[in-house]
Amino acid sequence: MIEVDWEGNILWKWSISEHFDELGFDEAAKNVLFRDPNMRSSDGGVGDYLHVNCMSYLGPNKWFDQGDQRFKPDNIIFDCREANILAILDKETGKIVWRIGPDFNATPELKKLGWIIGQHHFHMIPKGLPGEGNLMVFDNGGWGGYGTPNPSSAIGTKNALRDYSRVLEFNPVTLEVVWKLTPKELGHAIPTDASKFYSPYVSSVQRLPNGNTLVTEGSDGRLIEVTPDHEIVWEWISPYYTHNEKGPKNNMIYRAYRYPYSYVPQEPTPVETPIERIDNVTYRVPGAGAFGAKKWLMFWELCLIMKMWRSVWRRMTRRTSQRERRSLRWTPSSSSRSQRPAGMRMC
């Protein structure tokens, strides 16, 4: 990590590899990392064993105001996506002063919080917003971590797996979950429909001034605004896909923010048009058939079915008659014609 001024001068820097012993890896994880520190050929052959994907200043917060020195406003909060580590470092000393992961079975509090896997956008909710001082993270799920091999991890890399995502808001002191969003809160069954809220990479979460939460389900290019009661009140899916000629295309969004109009003062303030809630029972797509058309459609479908069955019945009746005629047909043997039944004519 580096901090630079507008002229590009380095004002502060910190290397996480110099603090390896503070990351909490057990012997099994160290063994795996020695053999394969998550080598990436696409990056020129480097070991991306942590993949720090976010960092930010804590900013003013109630915990520091109450005397907790771990939460100095200038301290830096960050996470390691590949190692399932979330931490805060003291900018003055360079020491990690708060950390959860990589082992979420280490304490009863962590077990209750649950495994955070492959996370993104770990941050503290800023002062002035609902939930200020709590920590928020988009817990991707997917894969991450190092440790003892298991059926899903032959050598112990990416040894924690989950096929759905979570958004967590929790108290940094007690680790109690204050609010969460999972497939269950969105009305999807786990595990059968869990993938309906799932982004195994990228993604983010932002608490809004009205108490709602803006969620970036990044791998699907989907943005949703969710109320504290888990109701989706706004949704947008990016129609913009990559232009690569080969390979799979995607509409992923790394991170999205809602910002006030005053953020760009040179632009005129747009006129907001309220959108009434759609009644799914009576709503008709423009250009669709009028109400009642479904009844006529069902009538014509019934007529078509009857016509098909009539045709099938005729074919079956015709085949039965042919079989009956064949059973009455008699062919005389070459040895004797006296066996012909009385009154039966030669065919």
Side-chain angles (χ1 to χ4, degrees), residues 175-193:
L175 302 186
E176 287 287 332
V177 174
V178 177
W179 184 83
K180 65 179 179 178
L181 183 70
T182 74
K184 181 179 179 180
E185 281 74 34
L186 292 173
H188 309 309
I190 297 176
T192 53
D193 293 326

mmCIF file of all heavy atoms in Angstrom, residues 175-193:
data_model
loop_
_atom_site.group_PDB
_atom_site.id
_atom_site.type_symbol
_atom_site.label_atom_id
_atom_site.label_comp_id
_atom_site.label_asym_id
_atom_site.label_seq_id
_atom_site.Cartn_x
_atom_site.Cartn_y
_atom_site.Cartn_z
ATOM 1 N N LEU A 175 -18.795 -8.532 17.209
ATOM 2 C CA LEU A 175 -18.974 -9.359 16.006
ATOM 3 C C LEU A 175 -20.418 -9.813 15.822
ATOM 4 O O LEU A 175 -20.704 -10.705 15.016
ATOM 5 C CB LEU A 175 -18.044 -10.578 16.011
ATOM 6 C CG LEU A 175 -16.539 -10.287 16.109
ATOM 7 C CD1 LEU A 175 -15.735 -11.578 15.963
ATOM 8 C CD2 LEU A 175 -16.094 -9.264 15.070
ATOM 9 N N GLU A 176 -21.342 -9.204 16.551
ATOM 10 C CA GLU A 176 -22.757 -9.519 16.389
ATOM 11 C C GLU A 176 -23.261 -8.967 15.055
ATOM 12 O O GLU A 176 -22.986 -7.820 14.700
ATOM 13 C CB GLU A 176 -23.586 -8.923 17.527
ATOM 14 C CG GLU A 176 -23.409 -9.636 18.859
ATOM 15 C CD GLU A 176 -24.111 -10.989 18.868
ATOM 16 O OE1 GLU A 176 -25.110 -11.147 18.144
ATOM 17 O OE2 GLU A 176 -23.640 -11.878 19.603
ATOM 18 N N VAL A 177 -24.007 -9.791 14.325
ATOM 19 C CA VAL A 177 -24.587 -9.360 13.051
ATOM 20 C C VAL A 177 -25.750 -8.417 13.329
ATOM 21 O O VAL A 177 -26.682 -8.757 14.061
ATOM 22 C CB VAL A 177 -25.054 -10.569 12.217
ATOM 23 C CG1 VAL A 177 -25.789 -10.094 10.968
ATOM 24 C CG2 VAL A 177 -23.877 -11.456 11.843
ATOM 25 N N VAL A 178 -25.697 -7.231 12.752
ATOM 26 C CA VAL A 178 -26.741 -6.222 12.916
ATOM 27 C C VAL A 178 -27.777 -6.343 11.804
ATOM 28 O O VAL A 178 -28.977 -6.189 12.030
ATOM 29 C CB VAL A 178 -26.125 -4.804 12.943
ATOM 30 C CG1 VAL A 178 -27.210 -3.741 13.047
ATOM 31 C CG2 VAL A 178 -25.118 -4.677 14.075
ATOM 32 N N TRP A 179 -27.309 -6.615 10.603
ATOM 33 C CA TRP A 179 -28.200 -6.741 9.435
ATOM 34 C C TRP A 179 -27.485 -7.605 8.409
ATOM 35 O O TRP A 179 -26.256 -7.593 8.307
ATOM 36 C CB TRP A 179 -28.497 -5.356 8.856
ATOM 37 C CG TRP A 179 -29.487 -5.358 7.715
ATOM 38 C CD1 TRP A 179 -30.847 -5.366 7.818
ATOM 39 C CD2 TRP A 179 -29.190 -5.343 6.314
ATOM 40 N NE1 TRP A 179 -31.420 -5.358 6.570
ATOM 41 C CE2 TRP A 179 -30.424 -5.341 5.629
ATOM 42 C CE3 TRP A 179 -28.012 -5.329 5.572
ATOM 43 C CZ2 TRP A 179 -30.507 -5.324 4.230
ATOM 44 C CZ3 TRP A 179 -28.079 -5.318 4.183
ATOM 45 C CH2 TRP A 179 -29.320 -5.313 3.527
ATOM 46 N N LYS A 180 -28.272 -8.364 7.671
ATOM 47 C CA LYS A 180 -27.664 -9.199 6.641
ATOM 48 C C LYS A 180 -28.628 -9.372 5.477
ATOM 49 O O LYS A 180 -29.848 -9.168 5.602
ATOM 50 C CB LYS A 180 -27.276 -10.572 7.194
ATOM 51 C CG LYS A 180 -28.453 -11.425 7.648
ATOM 52 C CD LYS A 180 -27.980 -12.774 8.168
ATOM 53 C CE LYS A 180 -29.150 -13.628 8.650
ATOM 54 N NZ LYS A 180 -28.702 -14.963 9.117
ATOM 55 N N LEU A 181 -28.063 -9.742 4.361
ATOM 56 C CA LEU A 181 -28.847 -10.031 3.158
ATOM 57 C C LEU A 181 -28.279 -11.302 2.550
ATOM 58 O O LEU A 181 -27.101 -11.367 2.203
ATOM 59 C CB LEU A 181 -28.752 -8.874 2.157
ATOM 60 C CG LEU A 181 -29.582 -9.034 0.878
ATOM 61 C CD1 LEU A 181 -31.072 -8.919 1.194
ATOM 62 C CD2 LEU A 181 -29.186 -7.994 -0.162
ATOM 63 N N THR A 182 -29.114 -12.326 2.464
ATOM 64 C CA THR A 182 -28.728 -13.598 1.861
ATOM 65 C C THR A 182 -29.850 -14.015 0.915
ATOM 66 O O THR A 182 -30.911 -13.373 0.860
ATOM 67 C CB THR A 182 -28.527 -14.689 2.933
ATOM 68 O OG1 THR A 182 -29.815 -15.104 3.425
ATOM 69 C CG2 THR A 182 -27.666 -14.190 4.089
ATOM 70 N N PRO A 183 -29.677 -15.093 0.153
ATOM 71 C CA PRO A 183 -30.793 -15.559 -0.676
ATOM 72 C C PRO A 183 -32.068 -15.777 0.127
ATOM 73 O O PRO A 183 -33.176 -15.539 -0.372
ATOM 74 C CB PRO A 183 -30.256 -16.872 -1.262
ATOM 75 C CG PRO A 183 -28.779 -16.683 -1.306
ATOM 76 C CD PRO A 183 -28.452 -15.880 -0.086
ATOM 77 N N LYS A 184 -31.934 -16.210 1.380
ATOM 78 C CA LYS A 184 -33.113 -16.464 2.208
ATOM 79 C C LYS A 184 -33.922 -15.201 2.428
ATOM 80 O O LYS A 184 -35.161 -15.207 2.313
ATOM 81 C CB LYS A 184 -32.680 -17.053 3.547
ATOM 82 C CG LYS A 184 -33.837 -17.380 4.477
ATOM 83 C CD LYS A 184 -33.349 -17.981 5.788
ATOM 84 C CE LYS A 184 -34.507 -18.292 6.726
ATOM 85 N NZ LYS A 184 -34.036 -18.878 8.010
ATOM 86 N N GLU A 185 -33.250 -14.089 2.756
ATOM 87 C CA GLU A 185 -33.964 -12.818 2.977
ATOM 88 C C GLU A 185 -34.629 -12.318 1.696
ATOM 89 O O GLU A 185 -35.605 -11.570 1.739
ATOM 90 C CB GLU A 185 -33.012 -11.758 3.516
ATOM 91 C CG GLU A 185 -32.697 -11.871 4.995
ATOM 92 C CD GLU A 185 -31.761 -13.005 5.306
ATOM 93 O OE1 GLU A 185 -30.879 -13.299 4.463
ATOM 94 O OE2 GLU A 185 -31.894 -13.611 6.381
ATOM 95 N N LEU A 186 -34.100 -12.729 0.550
ATOM 96 C CA LEU A 186 -34.673 -12.314 -0.733
ATOM 97 C C LEU A 186 -35.749 -13.280 -1.214
ATOM 98 O O LEU A 186 -36.272 -13.130 -2.320
ATOM 99 C CB LEU A 186 -33.569 -12.195 -1.788
ATOM 100 C CG LEU A 186 -32.574 -11.047 -1.557
ATOM 101 C CD1 LEU A 186 -31.434 -11.120 -2.563
ATOM 102 C CD2 LEU A 186 -33.277 -9.690 -1.649
ATOM 103 N N GLY A 187 -36.061 -14.281 -0.385
ATOM 104 C CA GLY A 187 -37.153 -15.189 -0.721
ATOM 105 C C GLY A 187 -36.747 -16.420 -1.502
ATOM 106 O O GLY A 187 -37.597 -17.108 -2.071
ATOM 107 N N HIS A 188 -35.445 -16.728 -1.534
ATOM 108 C CA HIS A 188 -34.962 -17.888 -2.281
ATOM 109 C C HIS A 188 -34.577 -19.012 -1.319
ATOM 110 O O HIS A 188 -33.959 -18.763 -0.281
ATOM 111 C CB HIS A 188 -33.752 -17.519 -3.142
ATOM 112 C CG HIS A 188 -33.966 -16.321 -4.005
ATOM 113 N ND1 HIS A 188 -35.067 -16.189 -4.827
ATOM 114 C CD2 HIS A 188 -33.232 -15.187 -4.169
ATOM 115 C CE1 HIS A 188 -34.992 -15.023 -5.469
ATOM 116 N NE2 HIS A 188 -33.893 -14.405 -5.079
ATOM 117 N N ALA A 189 -34.912 -20.215 -1.688
ATOM 118 C CA ALA A 189 -34.604 -21.366 -0.848
ATOM 119 C C ALA A 189 -33.116 -21.699 -0.933
ATOM 120 O O ALA A 189 -32.503 -21.599 -1.990
ATOM 121 C CB ALA A 189 -35.433 -22.573 -1.277
ATOM 122 N N ILE A 190 -32.553 -22.085 0.211
ATOM 123 C CA ILE A 190 -31.162 -22.521 0.274
ATOM 124 C C ILE A 190 -31.161 -24.028 0.588
ATOM 125 O O ILE A 190 -31.824 -24.447 1.524
ATOM 126 C CB ILE A 190 -30.391 -21.757 1.369
ATOM 127 C CG1 ILE A 190 -30.350 -20.258 1.045
ATOM 128 C CG2 ILE A 190 -28.968 -22.285 1.499
ATOM 129 C CD1 ILE A 190 -29.678 -19.417 2.134
ATOM 130 N N PRO A 191 -30.503 -24.874 -0.207
ATOM 131 C CA PRO A 191 -29.541 -24.524 -1.255
ATOM 132 C C PRO A 191 -30.100 -24.505 -2.668
ATOM 133 O O PRO A 191 -29.388 -24.148 -3.599
ATOM 134 C CB PRO A 191 -28.515 -25.653 -1.127
ATOM 135 C CG PRO A 191 -29.362 -26.844 -0.763
ATOM 136 C CD PRO A 191 -30.442 -26.309 0.144
ATOM 137 N N THR A 192 -31.360 -24.910 -2.865
ATOM 138 C CA THR A 192 -31.846 -25.137 -4.230
ATOM 139 C C THR A 192 -31.835 -23.891 -5.101
ATOM 140 O O THR A 192 -31.534 -23.954 -6.289
ATOM 141 C CB THR A 192 -33.265 -25.724 -4.191
ATOM 142 O OG1 THR A 192 -34.092 -24.877 -3.367
ATOM 143 C CG2 THR A 192 -33.256 -27.127 -3.612
ATOM 144 N N ASP A 193 -32.174 -22.719 -4.525
ATOM 145 C CA ASP A 193 -32.213 -21.481 -5.296
ATOM 146 C C ASP A 193 -31.191 -20.465 -4.805
ATOM 147 O O ASP A 193 -31.313 -19.271 -5.083
ATOM 148 C CB ASP A 193 -33.617 -20.857 -5.227
ATOM 149 C CG ASP A 193 -34.658 -21.697 -5.944
ATOM 150 O OD1 ASP A 193 -34.298 -22.314 -6.957
ATOM 151 O OD2 ASP A 193 -35.801 -21.757 -5.479
#
